[in-house]
Amino acid sequence: MGLAKTEIFTDSQNEIALFAKAFGHPARVAILQHLFKINTCVCGDLVDEIGLAQPTISQHLKELKHLGLIKGSVEGTSVCYCINPEVWTKMKVVMTGFLDQDLPKTSCC
């Protein structure tokens, strides 16, 4: 399989792509929505809430944590997750800037 060649793109382009990856699977979207809905850290009840197997949920949590959108803390034998507000705010600024590129331009047709 070929390399992604991310080094040929700007830091901004890579950052946008990474943030967009968070929304690339409906399970990650559901996890983020649930974390916002409960507005507190969650420790292990995502399996019942999302309806996927624990290993699958864990993989999506790992990806969201890698992206920085959630943070986790160890409490006893479980890891509790919540939204990382600093990174979430940064993502909103980056993605809004990307999505609003069309606003100042006039139509070409």
Side-chain angles (χ1 to χ4, degrees):
M1 192 173 314
L3 298 174
K5 296 197 177 196
T6 57
E7 71 276 356
I8 68 170
F9 301 102
T10 67
D11 289 343
S12 176
Q13 290 165 334
N14 280 297
E15 185 176 46
I16 291 165
L18 285 172
F19 283 139
K21 187 176 182 179
F23 305 109
H25 195 287
R28 290 193 288 272
V29 172
I31 290 168
L32 290 168
Q33 287 176 320
H34 181 67
L35 291 174
F36 274 114
K37 183 175 79 174
I38 63 170
N39 198 26
T40 186
C41 287
V42 63
C43 303
D45 65 346
L46 284 171
V47 172
D48 294 332
E49 182 66 31
I50 307 298
L52 296 173
Q54 181 62 53
T56 304
I57 295 289
S58 293
Q59 187 61 38
H60 289 298
L61 288 167
K62 180 180 174 185
E63 186 64 38
L64 289 169
K65 189 170 181 190
H66 173 73
L67 295 169
L69 293 173
I70 64 172
K71 52 187 175 180
S73 61
V74 177
E75 292 189 13
T77 59
S78 59
V79 180
C80 298
Y81 293 97
C82 60
I83 298 292
N84 184 340
E86 295 83 18
V87 177
W88 185 264
T89 299
K90 179 183 179 185
M91 182 202 61
K92 286 180 13 180
V93 170
V94 168
M95 296 305 287
T96 299
F98 175 70
L99 294 171
D100 284 351
Q101 294 180 90
D102 62 324
L103 294 182
K105 296 179 182 177
T106 60
S107 177
C108 66
C109 300

